[in-house]
Amino acid sequence: MRARLCAIALLVTAVAVPAHAQRRVIRPEGAPTDRPYSPGIQVGQTLYISGQLGLPGAGATPATMDAQARQAMDGIGAVLKAAGLGYEHLVKCQVYLASMDDYAAMNAAYQSYFKGRVPARTTIQAAALPSKAGVEIGCIAYADVAAISVVTPPAGTLPAPLGPYSPAVWAGDTLYISGMGGQNPATKAVAEDVPGQVTQTIANISTTLKAASLELRDVVSTQGYLTRLDEVAQYPPAFTAAFAPLPLPARGLVVVPRLPGPIRAELTFVAVRPTVKREPVGDVEKPYAIKAGATLYANPEESPDAGTTVEAQARDIFAYLRGTLQDGGLTTRDVASVTVYLTDVADMPAMNAVFKETFPVDPPARVTVQVQPEGKERIRVALIAAR
């Protein structure tokens, strides 16, 4: 299948080369130049911002979560400013905490950066963060503020928000949906089993899609989070059943120590307007990527050769993703944002070496976090590419 798709992609490229949106590396003044990733990558109107860390400091008294969250948000602000944008341009943020006990303090600091509208957001507890940070925040911004709007379903049709985030935010033709859990909005109850939580979560997301005049068929990318390794096998059947008989979107799943509140399953979705051309890459029913217009969302990939070094696994993954990009008519030069899931952040230097090999010039924005190992894999990688 892949060889056939590659041949088709090459044929299409030979016949007609589409116009590319302008791509810019966004680097604030004074930003480190020795990192293997860029602080921000702007493709057309969309700006992908690398994960910004809130560091505890080296003193005897660690920095408070208020200080760490502000450091991370100030870093986001510096990238926005370098792109000629502000916090009002943010449409989706991903917050990773080292401890969910810091959720309230992070919320208070985070909210102070917004006046009025807040972006969609997903918040999870990572197993660990680089440099022993207490928080890492990566965001997506949109340059045309007139094309940004909040989607709010009718009162009482969604669980009450646990923080300062919008249910969903339009950025042009793309809808970014906040991470949602499986609380029933009518009864306030959360199912005891993961299939029940996943089913209710997708029902809550469907309510949000309906408020945006969309359906599940318009979803192009999903990311799921679970808190227990022994429940991973229960996730795919529940997820697939919720979409049946529709073809599946790009999809990922990682295991993390903790999620907000009592939930054990959380999902975040990206959807597009029906007018945007949606193309599966790979198997039509279970694609390994979705190309929506000029943007490709690839499934998080792991190495099939588990048990080898992180360098070997990373090379396997990026080789596979090159094939995915080629099947979608793109190259590594089109990659705008990468999320790296490590099972041990101590492997970050080794992963960085392979990352530099893969993206030697104008590398993409990146977020790196540690998640729970599900087997012998030591790294998993997801990416977004755009022209």
Side-chain angles (χ1 to χ4, degrees), residues 65-114:
M65 176 46 59
D66 178 82
Q68 292 193 52
R70 291 181 183 281
Q71 181 182 15
M73 289 301 292
D74 288 345
I76 295 289
V79 179
L80 288 167
K81 183 178 179 181
L85 308 178
Y87 291 102
E88 70 275 13
H89 291 89
L90 292 176
V91 292
K92 175 67 191 289
C93 289
Q94 185 85 28
V95 177
Y96 303 91
L97 291 170
S99 172
M100 196 57 71
D101 291 341
D102 289 325
Y103 187 72
M106 178 277 296
N107 277 339
Y110 177 91
Q111 186 168 24
S112 68
Y113 285 78
F114 300 97

Side-chain angles (χ1 to χ4, degrees), residues 60-377:
T61 303
T64 64
M65 176 46 59
D66 178 82
Q68 292 193 52
R70 291 181 183 281
Q71 181 182 15
M73 289 301 292
D74 288 345
I76 295 289
V79 179
L80 288 167
K81 183 178 179 181
L85 308 178
Y87 291 102
E88 70 275 13
H89 291 89
L90 292 176
V91 292
K92 175 67 191 289
C93 289
Q94 185 85 28
V95 177
Y96 303 91
L97 291 170
S99 172
M100 196 57 71
D101 291 341
D102 289 325
Y103 187 72
M106 178 277 296
N107 277 339
Y110 177 91
Q111 186 168 24
S112 68
Y113 285 78
F114 300 97
K115 297 178 181 179
R117 180 188 62 78
V118 291
R121 196 185 80 184
T122 301
T123 304
I124 67 166
Q125 178 177 318
L129 296 172
S131 302
K132 298 182 180 180
V135 63
E136 181 176 6
I137 304 176
C139 295
I140 299 174
Y142 198 71
D144 183 2
V145 73
I148 300 174
S149 61
V150 172
V151 174
T152 305
T157 61
L158 284 182
L162 298 177
Y165 52 84
S166 298
V169 174
W170 277 113
D173 290 332
T174 302
L175 183 71
Y176 297 96
I177 302 176
S178 287
M180 296 191 184
Q183 185 185 62
N184 185 304
T187 65
K188 314 301 181 188
V190 177
E192 292 295 326
D193 62 302
V194 159
Q197 290 195 29
V198 170
T199 299
Q200 182 61 57
T201 298
I202 295 178
N204 293 340
I205 291 173
S206 295
T207 297
T208 308
L209 289 167
K210 183 178 179 181
S213 299
L214 300 179
E215 304 175 21
L216 282 175
R217 70 176 66 251
D218 301 308
V219 174
V220 294
S221 177
T222 71
Q223 178 61 50
Y225 306 94
L226 297 181
T227 60
R228 290 174 50 173
L229 289 168
D230 60 357
E231 294 178 333
V232 168
Q234 301 175 39
Y235 178 87
F239 181 90
T240 301
F243 273 85
L246 301 171
L248 293 176
R251 60 214 175 277
L253 177 68
V254 292
V255 180
V256 297
R258 191 175 164 192
L259 296 167
I263 60 174
R264 301 202 309 274
E266 181 172 353
L267 287 83
T268 183
F269 283 15
V270 179
V272 295
R273 298 188 195 275
T275 52
V276 176
K277 185 177 181 181
R278 182 184 186 278
E279 303 174 81
V281 179
D283 185 274
V284 173
E285 296 302 321
K286 294 185 177 181
Y288 41 82
I290 294 291
K291 192 175 181 184
T295 303
L296 181 142
Y297 301 87
N299 293 350
E301 297 293 348
E302 60 187 78
S303 170
D305 193 8
T308 58
T309 66
V310 70
E311 294 98 327
Q313 291 189 28
R315 287 192 178 94
D316 280 348
I317 291 168
F318 282 117
Y320 189 89
L321 287 170
R322 282 191 192 94
T324 298
L325 290 164
Q326 186 177 10
D327 289 352
L330 303 172
T331 73
T332 53
R333 291 298 303 272
D334 299 309
V335 177
S337 178
V338 174
T339 301
V340 177
Y341 302 104
L342 294 171
T343 59
D344 187 346
V345 290
D347 286 332
M348 193 164 166
M351 179 273 295
N352 280 341
V354 180
F355 201 87
K356 288 179 181 179
E357 293 173 6
T358 307
F359 306 104
V361 179
D362 294 343
R366 195 182 81 188
V367 170
T368 306
V369 298
Q370 180 176 318
V371 297
Q372 305 284 73
E374 297 178 39
K376 293 184 179 181
E377 88 275 3

